[in-house]
């Protein structure tokens, strides 16, 4: 099966009451871990590359790694640009074979966000590529930009119909209390997601796919392994998986996960070195990192997304 767009994936996810996982990819082992899990569970999957990933790995390498994944599996795979900051970045990805792009102008004014999202949607649609935009601002760290949690802004449901109508985008990322990175909520606090805002948005946009960013759950087991083996991560908790599962049953068709994969990869490698201090072959320690990535994606598909056997 060739690379696909997310159009069909989202239609099925919306009516089927599940979501498709969008996992960030930065290197071969991450691509392999994700796709092996999705393939074994017959789940569709979105592989997404941020600007940081494209800088780190080179966009061409990422594109070809994803093509290798497509060649060696038989599930629907979409290649998505995560957090495209402007028209030029989105255009570059459309022109090089991404099947989906995100224009993230959520930190700009409503009118500027509308203008650039519309420009991207028009160009992408001419080339058969689908477009995600964002309304509202998430807290946390993405690329080199850090948004303080108190400066994050929930999506205003009163704006979503006008935004979608004027831009022509295909899906919308909204801010309901999720945030980027591994430090989302302080331990001992109760993570709150504004599922009421999600419900209101879904009511205003019937049948329209909603996207949740910043949806890592920060597995405490991996944080513990990292810290027991030389790491110094602060204690923090992530998004409760049962809340994400609820969201996936409704209008949320795409759930973004990156930090959990980073924690899994790092835990696998740190543990490997602790157990085998004499090892220096990257194939040995990366095997353990990759296995954790696979285990996490397996768990997300079964517990959070509900996308198993939907390929
Ligand atoms: O939303 C941000 C993703 O986690 C990507 O992170 O920009 O550091 O690659 P990155
Ligand atoms: P996390 O940092 O919660 O994994 O979010 C990733 C994300 O939203 C990528 O766009
Ligand atoms: Zn994001």
């Amino acid at each position: 099966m060739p690379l696909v767009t997310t159009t069909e994936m989202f239609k099925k996810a919306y009516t089927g009451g599940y979501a498709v996982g969008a996992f960030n990819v930065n290197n071969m082992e991450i691509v392999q871990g994700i796709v092996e899990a999705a393939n074994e569970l017959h789940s569709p999957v979105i592989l997404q590359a941020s600007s940081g990933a494209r800088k780190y790995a080179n966009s061409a390498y990422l594109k070809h790694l994803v093509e290798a994944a497509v060649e060696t599996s038989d599930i629907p795979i979409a290649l998505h640009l995560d957090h495209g900051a402007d028209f030029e970045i989105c255009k570059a990805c459309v022109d090089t074979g991404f099947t989906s792009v995100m224009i993230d102008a959520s930190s700009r004014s409503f009118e500027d966000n509308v203008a650039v999202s519309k420009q991207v949607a028009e160009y992408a649609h001419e080339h058969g590529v689908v477009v995600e935009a964002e309304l509202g601002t998430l807290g946390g760290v993405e690329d080199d930009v850090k948004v303080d949690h108190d400066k994050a802004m929930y999506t205003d449901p009163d704006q979503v119909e006008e935004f979608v109508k004027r831009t022509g985008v295909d899906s919308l990322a909204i801010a309901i209390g999720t945030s980027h990175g591994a430090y989302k909520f302080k331990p001992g606090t109760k993570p709150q997601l504004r599922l009421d805002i999600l419900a209101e948005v879904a009511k205003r946009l019937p049948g329209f796919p909603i996207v949740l960013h910043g949806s890592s759950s920060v597995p405490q087991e991996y944080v513990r392994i990292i810290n027991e083996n030389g790491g110094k991560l602060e204690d923090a908790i992530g998004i409760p998986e049962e809340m994400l599962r609820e969201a996936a049953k409704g209008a949320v068709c795409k759930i973004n996960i990156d930090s959990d994969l980073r924690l899994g990869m790092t835990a696998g490698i740190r543990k490997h070195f602790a157990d085998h201090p004499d090892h220096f072959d990257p194939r040995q320690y990366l095997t353990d990192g990759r296995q954790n990535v696979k285990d996490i994606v397996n768990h997300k598909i079964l517990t959070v997304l509900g996308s198993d056997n939907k390929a």
Side-chain angles (χ1 to χ4, degrees):
M1 194 181 294
L3 266 182
V4 300
T5 71
T6 48
T7 311
E8 197 60 25
M9 280 184 189
F10 289 167
K11 242 185 246 160
K12 288 186 173 169
Y14 200 102
T15 51
Y18 63 94
V20 181
F23 299 98
N24 286 73
V25 296
N26 293 282
N27 65 19
M28 182 184 77
E29 286 74 14
I30 296 174
V31 171
Q32 289 175 328
I34 297 165
V35 174
E36 275 176 30
N39 207 32
E40 282 176 20
L41 292 172
H42 307 288
S43 167
V45 74
I46 299 165
L47 301 178
Q48 57 186 10
S50 67
S51 292
R54 293 174 70 240
K55 224 180 284 165
Y56 169 75
N58 183 321
S59 196
Y61 275 87
L62 291 176
K63 172 85 197 317
H64 289 290
L65 285 172
V66 170
E67 275 167 1
V70 167
E71 220 176 283
T72 53
S73 60
D74 55 4
I75 51 171
I77 299 177
L79 173 58
H80 174 76
L81 167 67
D82 192 28
H83 294 286
D86 53 38
F87 175 77
E88 284 66 34
I89 295 174
C90 294
K91 180 179 182 300
C93 289
V94 169
D95 293 347
T96 51
F98 282 56
T99 55
S100 169
V101 293
M102 175 191 192
I103 171 69
D104 180 1
S106 58
S107 58
R108 303 192 212 171
S109 70
F110 181 80
E111 284 303 322
D112 287 356
N113 192 353
V114 167
V116 69
S117 299
K118 180 172 188 288
Q119 187 190 14
V120 170
E122 282 171 359
Y123 184 78
H125 290 166
E126 277 167 24
H127 295 79
V129 171
V130 303
V131 177
E132 172 185 328
E134 180 169 328
L135 201 53
T137 321
L138 269 73
V141 186
E142 99 204 9
D143 267 329
D144 300 328
V145 184
K146 186 173 184 308
V147 179
D148 287 340
H149 283 78
D150 51 3
K151 297 228 171 53
M153 251 170 36
Y154 293 124
T155 302
D156 177 356
D158 283 342
Q159 293 185 327
V160 297
E161 274 169 287
E162 181 187 345
F163 185 83
V164 167
K165 205 164 158 201
R166 285 177 62 192
T167 57
V169 297
D170 307 287
S171 64
L172 187 66
I174 61 168
I176 59 165
T178 63
S179 59
H180 288 110
Y183 303 115
K184 299 188 195 296
F185 302 103
K186 294 211 163 63
T189 59
K190 200 162 174 271
Q192 299 288 353
L193 280 203
R194 291 288 305 273
L195 295 172
D196 57 319
I197 295 180
L198 171 61
E200 198 51 47
V201 168
K203 215 194 298 171
R204 313 282 178 103
L205 297 172
F208 191 81
I210 300 301
V211 178
L212 286 187
H213 283 246
S215 297
S216 279
S217 297
V218 189
Q220 298 300 296
E221 173 69 359
Y222 289 131
V223 173
R224 188 184 55 74
I225 292 172
I226 290 170
N227 285 344
E228 279 177 5
N229 292 288
K232 275 196 172 165
L233 299 182
E234 285 170 36
D235 283 335
I237 49 177
I239 310 297
E241 293 192 328
E242 59 282 4
M243 286 190 187
L244 294 169
R245 183 72 201 103
E246 268 321 292
K249 284 182 189 161
V252 171
C253 296
K254 173 174 179 273
I255 293 186
N256 284 15
I257 293 164
D258 184 3
S259 300
D260 284 357
L261 303 185
R262 296 179 180 191
L263 290 167
M265 174 66 80
T266 302
I269 293 170
R270 278 202 181 270
K271 174 94 174 43
H272 186 97
F273 281 130
D275 293 344
H276 308 280
D278 55 324
H279 280 182
F280 60 93
D281 181 339
R283 292 172 297 187
Q284 294 172 316
Y285 55 84
L286 290 175
T287 295
D288 288 359
R290 178 173 61 190
Q291 183 60 46
N292 282 359
V293 168
K294 183 175 174 181
D295 291 348
I296 291 166
V297 173
N298 186 83
H299 171 80
K300 298 288 177 189
I301 289 172
L302 293 173
T303 314
V304 174
L305 303 161
S307 62
D308 49 308
N309 293 316
K310 304 292 195 300

